[in-house]
Amino acid sequence: MLTFEQKQAVIESFPELTKKEISLKRLNYHFEDSLYEKTIVVEKLHPNGNGFVYVGDLLKYEKIANDKGLVNIRDFDEESLKTIIRDAIDYLSEEEAPIIETWVSREGTTIELVHDQRNWDIYYQNNLEETFGTKEAAVAYLREEGFRHKG
């Protein structure tokens, strides 16, 4: 587990975050360029090492995020902390056009893999079939089902 000071150093390595002191010696780190009302990326970082990172409804973190979209970072190592902070900043700054890939089975069935609103969705004839939090998980599923990318 990283110390408070180590977590602070990792968080402050992101120049897009602004530190704000709050009560009980805790710190919040804001992303002022957020495209949404929510600007706090790191919330209530406490000298005891406890704190939270806002990930909203990113499926990648659905198993560890609470109902407010916060993940407790108390036991995170440096690499995990960097990754979740980068994901949080990206989450608050993304307003991109969807990415659409066509996949085909051996039998000729065509489906689409669509990255939109932070998720990877699989559509068959405009019907949503599956949703994944990462492209890797979606691609693994498609390959298991016998599909290949139509490049």
Side-chain angles (χ1 to χ4, degrees), residues 57-116:
D57 58 2
L58 279 172
L59 286 178
K60 180 177 178 179
Y61 298 103
E62 72 179 337
K63 292 182 179 172
I64 60 173
N66 67 19
D67 60 349
K68 294 180 182 177
L70 298 169
V71 173
N72 190 308
I73 57 168
R74 180 179 185 87
D75 298 323
F76 274 45
D77 62 24
E78 182 176 350
E79 197 55 42
S80 298
L81 184 56
K82 285 180 180 178
T83 299
I84 197 169
I85 291 171
R86 174 53 46 211
D87 289 345
I89 291 169
D90 290 348
Y91 179 80
L92 294 172
S93 62
E94 283 183 357
E95 193 174 288
E96 60 186 52
I99 297 169
I100 302 172
E101 295 181 357
T102 302
W103 288 69
V104 181
S105 71
R106 291 185 188 113
E107 296 80 26
T109 303
T110 301
I111 60 173
E112 291 183 332
L113 175 61
V114 179
H115 182 245
D116 191 24

Side-chain angles (χ1 to χ4, degrees), residues 30-68:
H30 292 255
F31 175 54
E32 303 296 345
D33 292 332
S34 174
L35 296 178
Y36 307 93
E37 232 177 275
K38 180 73 173 173
T39 64
I40 300 174
V41 170
V42 180
E43 192 170 305
K44 299 177 184 146
L45 182 65
H46 192 277
N48 70 8
N50 205 27
F52 301 89
V53 171
Y54 178 74
V55 295
D57 58 2
L58 279 172
L59 286 178
K60 180 177 178 179
Y61 298 103
E62 72 179 337
K63 292 182 179 172
I64 60 173
N66 67 19
D67 60 349
K68 294 180 182 177

